[in-house]
Amino acid sequence: MSDLLANLNSPQLQAVTLPPVHALILAGAGSGKTRVLTTRIAWLISTSQVGPHGVLAVTFTNKASKEMTARLSALLPINTRGMWIGTFHGLCNRLLRAHYREVGLPQTFQILDSGDQLSMIKRLLKNLNIDDEKFPPRELCHFINANKEQGIRAAQAEAYDNYTQKRVELYAEYETQCNREGVVDFAELLLRCYELLQRNEPLRQHYQERFRYILVDEFQDTNRLQYSWLKLLAGGGAKVFAVGDDDQSIYGFRGAEVGNMRDFERDYAGANVIRLEQNYRSHGNILAAANALIKNNRERLGKNLWTDAGAGEPIRAFEAYSDIDEARFVVDEIRELVREGVSPTQIAILYRSNAQSRVLEHELFAKSVPYKVYGGLRFFERQEIKHALAYLRLLGNPDDDTAFLRVVNFPTRGIGARSLENLQASAHQMNSSLYNAAASLTGKSGQAVGAFIRLIESLRQETENLPLPEMVEHIVEKTGLAQHYRLEKEGQERLENLDELINAAATFVDAEGAIGEGGALVSFLTHASLEAGEHQAGEGDEAVQLMSVHAAKGLEFDVVFVSGLEQGLFPHENSVNQGRDGIEEERRLMYVAVTRARQRLYLSCAQTRMLHGQTRYCVPSSFLDEIPLELLLKLNKKAAPLVTSFAGGYSAEPAVGGLRIGQTVEHGKFGIGVIVSTEGRGADARVQVNFSGNGMKWLALEYAKLTPV
Ligand code: ATP
Ligand code: MG
């Protein structure tokens, strides 16, 4: 046990060994919050203050909850399998599975991921003949989720204008549809669980008595509903131990409330507040940059991070001509680092937007650097995987219309859009699922749909007693999915992914052992919905890690590249438009990015970038200006300019790309301008153009199409 407490500093030790009281650990990045939380669980159990059964621990990502379970097993010889450690979604799912009857869900209820949710909303609007320009599906989706996250049902939602009134009605329709299909979206998992505990007193008492210690990591990112959920569970005298950092609150756009940290002290009277200020993660310069950045935010709870690790290296800053040039720089540096002996798994490339990964991936691939992407197009979100899962979902729950529509005509069975519209209309009239309404279809399309229903029924019988991996294999073959991709020109990769799904099912069964409520299939499908994105490369693969800054929360790496530091990208334009609050959330995100680095930090930006099919001309991020110059080492390569400026005169020098200074040119976006100077050669060549109306721009010749006029 003394081992357990060794290597803790004095406030950490104090936090870990607190008596049974409420506590708020308010501490900066890398100060050991997660370490303290995990160690406290181990301490409580090993000193018999509570059994593993009596602990509820919530973290923010699946990766973090796995990590916590693993660390706990390392600290204590206990079986962590049955413990309630997980994400809010995961834990609520577990509760709902155990009490599906009480909440009126089918035992095999399925979870809609955000893509499924959106397609369901689109379908709903279509069925109701609603103009989706007036009610854009994404906005409606956001409206519904935002209400749910505040615990507001359609029946309680208030509307002071006609437009909102209509949105509330659509919210109600959406609820009806979900209930009919027996599916729940992410926000619903929480809300449904909250309502269950609130209404069902015996059940509430049971869980309130069971969980004596409730521990929450990344508390700053809890939303209102999560906060209320915790409060409800803690209502029977449990002690809550919340750790968080207000400076790392990055989910405001999803309703997270830093105010929860302030409310905590009010709601949990007498709570101990402990601050951890020593950072064990990063070298001094990195920490100084982080501190300098974040001090520009207002209304911070305030803390001072320090380290005794020494200043370390300067922060490397690089301004590239283009996104491709930036990727080249990043990958060249990585190769150099790996040559010097840095492990690729200790190198992370972070970006603000997932779309940025493509160029980086291209360059990594071209230079044969192994890498792993988190997020983006996730394994469980790939088309072929979703098709296979849809079949599996229909076996479990025929009323799942989303799954039905996904595969009723895939592979093609001659069921046209028209027949499906008819089917949807009659299902709507009969107030039943598409599956049930199928019998009402007549004629040729009736036959085709009938054949599909028979296929599903026979698959159900055939797979009834098969172990999960064989069941998946059977489905992939017998539905014609595999054959479809075998015949498709580019189908090889998809086939491999389908094989990988069978592997995933096998791994899942091995790892989970005894399967929970609803059997292996339901557990596996739940896993697929909740755990998307973690299946890309095997554990322990020696690969560079690519992810969005959001996904990097709580993680740490020896070397971190933060790429795309451009105005409009990071800070993101959406947030810039939201004024000061928006910028401050972006700044916290930048703070999270910077504080992921242990030893070396690179910050890079590009002057031009292809995003969503358009070349953008970029200005470096304002966040770069907030980092003191003396911490930075600028790495820009200075190509010897051909002609430095207009003042150099009309030299007869052949300028780059057949263009010369003084020449008038036309650009697709900026219009007419005059070339003022040029620099670099070949792929690096750039020209500075003074556009009438649009001002001075530096353009990379390789990408900017300039036509002489
Ligand atoms: P974040 O805010 O990013 O989530 P955190 O506060 O949760 O960070 P941890 O991840 O728990 O911080 O710890 C950061 C690093 O510092 C880890 O590598 C951890 O093992 C190490 N660390 C924490 N406390 C100590 C200590 N007392 N002695 C040595 N190393 C420590
Ligand atoms: Mg942490």
Side-chain angles (χ1 to χ4, degrees):
M1 188 189 325
S2 52
D3 274 1
L4 202 62
L5 303 180
N7 301 324
L8 294 176
N9 68 27
S10 123
Q12 287 178 336
L13 180 68
Q14 192 199 344
V16 166
T17 57
L18 277 174
V21 287
H22 299 306
L24 176 64
I25 313 303
L26 174 64
S31 59
K33 293 183 297 298
T34 304
R35 184 188 242 216
V36 161
L37 188 143
T38 315
T39 314
R40 176 150 174 92
I41 300 177
W43 157 260
L44 290 170
I45 295 175
S46 66
T47 51
S48 307
Q49 300 186 58
V50 67
H53 187 78
V55 173
L56 178 84
V58 196
T59 70
F60 224 78
T61 63
N62 293 305
K63 204 173 157 67
S65 90
K66 273 199 201 120
E67 172 76 27
M68 187 173 290
T69 319
R71 280 211 222 168
L72 206 57
S73 315
L75 290 172
L76 276 183
I78 53 164
N79 184 0
T80 48
R81 193 169 261 169
M83 287 186 70
W84 285 66
I85 298 179
T87 61
F88 281 104
H89 290 140
L91 295 172
C92 286
N93 170 64
R94 190 159 165 185
L95 258 151
L96 294 179
R97 295 276 169 210
H99 305 288
Y100 66 93
R101 277 195 205 89
E102 287 95 327
V103 285
L105 283 169
Q107 183 171 18
T108 54
F109 75 84
Q110 284 305 316
I111 299 166
L112 296 180
D113 66 22
S114 30
D116 296 333
Q117 189 188 17
L118 191 65
S119 58
M120 168 111 134
I121 287 176
K122 285 182 181 159
R123 194 150 34 84
L124 187 85
L125 293 176
K126 194 150 179 261
N127 278 342
L128 297 171
N129 277 324
I130 306 280
D131 181 356
D132 61 4
E133 301 227 325
K134 237 165 126 189
F135 294 90
R138 263 176 213 286
E139 257 172 44
L140 187 60
C141 194
H142 188 78
F143 174 80
I144 292 172
N145 292 342
N147 271 296
K148 287 191 181 185
E149 274 154 14
Q150 304 204 35
I152 301 170
R153 289 281 178 205
Q156 301 143 0
E158 291 179 357
Y160 297 105
D161 57 74
N162 290 342
Y163 185 70
T164 313
Q165 180 55 38
K166 188 71 200 166
R167 292 210 288 187
V168 171
E169 281 168 34
L170 291 170
Y171 176 16
E173 290 280 353
Y174 171 81
E175 280 182 326
T176 314
Q177 180 80 12
C178 286
N179 287 336
R180 187 159 60 224
E181 293 188 24
V183 294
V184 295
D185 58 44
F186 285 151
E188 183 73 24
L189 279 173
L190 256 146
L191 182 51
R192 192 68 76 108
C193 186
Y194 175 73
E195 290 171 345
L196 169 71
L197 292 171
Q198 200 181 35
R199 287 185 198 142
N200 191 324
E201 197 179 338
L203 211 64
R204 180 172 71 242
Q205 277 177 358
H206 168 81
Y207 284 105
Q208 284 179 339
E209 276 160 31
R210 169 176 177 167
F211 298 124
R212 306 313 301 153
Y213 287 91
I214 297 179
L215 302 97
V216 197
D217 200 358
E218 308 277 2
F219 184 64
Q220 75 280 355
D221 276 327
T222 48
N223 64 29
R224 244 13 245 177
L225 184 58
Q226 289 162 340
Y227 185 83
S228 312
W229 184 84
L230 287 169
K231 207 169 144 190
L232 203 58
L233 276 174
K239 297 304 174 208
V240 182
F241 187 89
V243 311
D245 177 3
D246 57 316
D247 290 334
Q248 294 186 70
S249 161
I250 54 176
Y251 281 95
F253 71 100
R254 277 207 209 141
E257 301 236 3
V258 182
N260 288 345
M261 299 191 80
R262 293 190 203 107
D263 291 352
F264 188 90
E265 292 187 66
R266 188 195 66 208
D267 290 345
Y268 298 89
N272 277 248
V273 178
I274 295 183
R275 285 166 199 259
L276 308 176
E277 303 201 309
Q278 179 168 5
N279 173 297
Y280 288 92
R281 180 180 293 147
S282 311
H283 280 154
N285 285 338
I286 296 171
L287 208 56
N291 283 338
L293 260 167
I294 201 67
K295 88 171 185 290
N296 294 301
N297 274 9
R298 304 159 304 175
E299 290 195 39
R300 301 172 53 219
L301 297 178
K303 53 192 132 37
N304 232 339
L305 272 186
W306 60 276
T307 175
D308 62 11
E313 305 179 349
I315 293 161
R316 290 162 164 78
F318 182 75
E319 182 171 3
Y321 298 142
S322 66
D323 49 352
I324 298 178
D325 184 31
E326 181 192 38
R328 224 177 271 152
F329 165 77
V330 169
V331 176
D332 287 348
E333 289 289 309
I334 288 177
R335 291 170 78 195
E336 189 57 41
L337 285 162
V338 173
R339 258 197 299 277
E340 287 168 13
V342 180
S343 156
T345 52
Q346 276 307 322
I347 303 177
I349 311 179
L350 308 182
Y351 32 77
R352 174 66 181 86
S353 144
N354 280 313
Q356 283 170 253
S357 78
R358 195 186 51 81
V359 178
L360 292 160
E361 284 188 65
H362 182 83
E363 191 65 24
L364 287 160
F365 183 78
K367 302 224 168 111
S368 308
V369 180
Y371 66 91
K372 175 172 174 175
V373 189
Y374 293 84
L377 195 54
R378 299 158 167 178
F379 180 76
F380 285 112
E381 287 169 8
R382 286 166 205 265
Q383 184 209 83
E384 61 280 12
I385 301 301
K386 291 205 94 167
H387 285 327
L389 292 175
Y391 279 108
L392 292 166
R393 285 165 70 147
L394 276 183
L395 296 192
N397 172 16
D399 292 338
D400 187 336
D401 286 356
T402 309
F404 183 98
L405 284 173
R406 179 171 271 279
V407 290
V408 63
N409 198 34
F410 194 98
T412 35
R413 308 192 164 86
I415 302 171
R418 194 60 184 275
S419 322
L420 286 181
E421 269 170 31
N422 291 340
L423 179 59
Q424 291 188 62
S426 50
H428 193 64
Q429 253 174 16
M430 295 161 62
N431 194 18
S432 85
S433 67
L434 297 172
Y435 199 90
N436 278 332
S440 69
L441 270 195
T442 51
K444 233 173 111 201
S445 54
Q447 276 175 17
V449 175
F452 174 71
I453 303 283
R454 281 195 300 283
L455 170 71
I456 299 295
E457 292 300 327
S458 64
L459 288 173
R460 183 175 300 119
Q461 279 170 13
E462 289 157 20
T463 58
E464 212 166 28
N465 296 315
L466 289 183
L468 182 67
E470 285 168 38
M471 179 176 191
V472 177
E473 191 172 0
H474 189 89
I475 297 293
V476 167
E477 277 302 329
K478 291 292 158 65
T479 55
L481 267 183
Q483 185 59 12
H484 173 89
Y485 291 118
R486 266 182 218 119
L487 297 176
E488 201 181 75
K489 231 166 135 200
E490 314 267 317
Q492 188 51 36
E493 194 189 330
R494 297 194 192 276
L495 277 174
E496 283 166 16
N497 285 336
L498 286 172
D499 279 342
E500 191 54 36
L501 182 67
I502 302 169
N503 296 341
T507 318
F508 178 77
V509 174
D510 284 350
E512 294 300 298
I515 298 285
E517 302 284 330
L521 175 59
V522 172
S523 310
F524 181 62
L525 291 171
T526 304
H527 162 83
S529 307
L530 290 178
E531 192 125 339
E534 305 208 355
H535 202 77
Q536 288 211 2
E539 299 280 318
D541 275 4
E542 282 285 294
V544 173
Q545 316 275 303
L546 269 71
M547 68 194 82
S548 69
V549 183
H550 279 103
K553 191 161 95 146
L555 306 181
E556 56 188 14
F557 308 90
D558 287 346
V559 181
V560 169
F561 291 83
V562 185
S563 65
L565 280 164
E566 294 133 31
Q567 213 52 17
L569 188 58
F570 198 178
H572 198 273
E573 54 204 357
N574 293 350
S575 322
V576 175
N577 297 338
Q578 285 160 14
R580 189 135 190 181
D581 288 348
I583 289 282
E584 293 204 349
E585 176 143 326
E586 291 290 306
R587 191 177 283 113
R588 290 191 292 271
L589 198 53
M590 178 69 180
Y591 175 78
V592 169
V594 167
T595 53
R596 298 309 96 200
R598 287 204 192 100
Q599 290 155 19
R600 186 182 284 193
L601 175 65
Y602 289 88
L603 305 174
S604 61
C605 61
Q607 293 169 350
T608 66
R609 179 176 298 279
M610 275 288 278
L611 257 190
H612 312 301
Q614 279 185 336
T615 303
R616 309 213 306 194
Y617 297 86
C618 317
V619 176
S621 168
S622 53
F623 295 152
L624 287 169
D625 300 333
E626 296 178 9
I627 298 178
L629 265 178
E630 64 269 20
L631 301 177
L632 295 176
L633 171 67
K634 297 207 172 179
L635 294 179
N636 295 11
K637 30 178 192 204
K638 284 259 179 293
L642 273 174
V643 183
T644 38
S645 71
F646 189 71
Y650 280 96
S651 80
E653 284 223 55
V656 282
L659 299 169
R660 57 177 171 75
I661 288 177
Q663 190 171 20
T664 306
V665 288
E666 182 166 12
H667 180 265
K669 188 165 163 203
F670 299 124
I672 304 282
V674 173
I675 296 183
V676 178
S677 65
T678 66
E679 68 175 20
R681 285 171 202 269
D684 288 339
R686 304 194 308 147
V687 293
Q688 190 182 26
V689 185
N690 188 1
F691 287 105
S692 70
N694 280 307
M696 211 67 98
K697 308 264 184 231
W698 272 108
L699 304 176
L701 261 193
E702 201 180 348
Y703 309 104
K705 291 255 173 305
L706 293 173
T707 357
V709 288

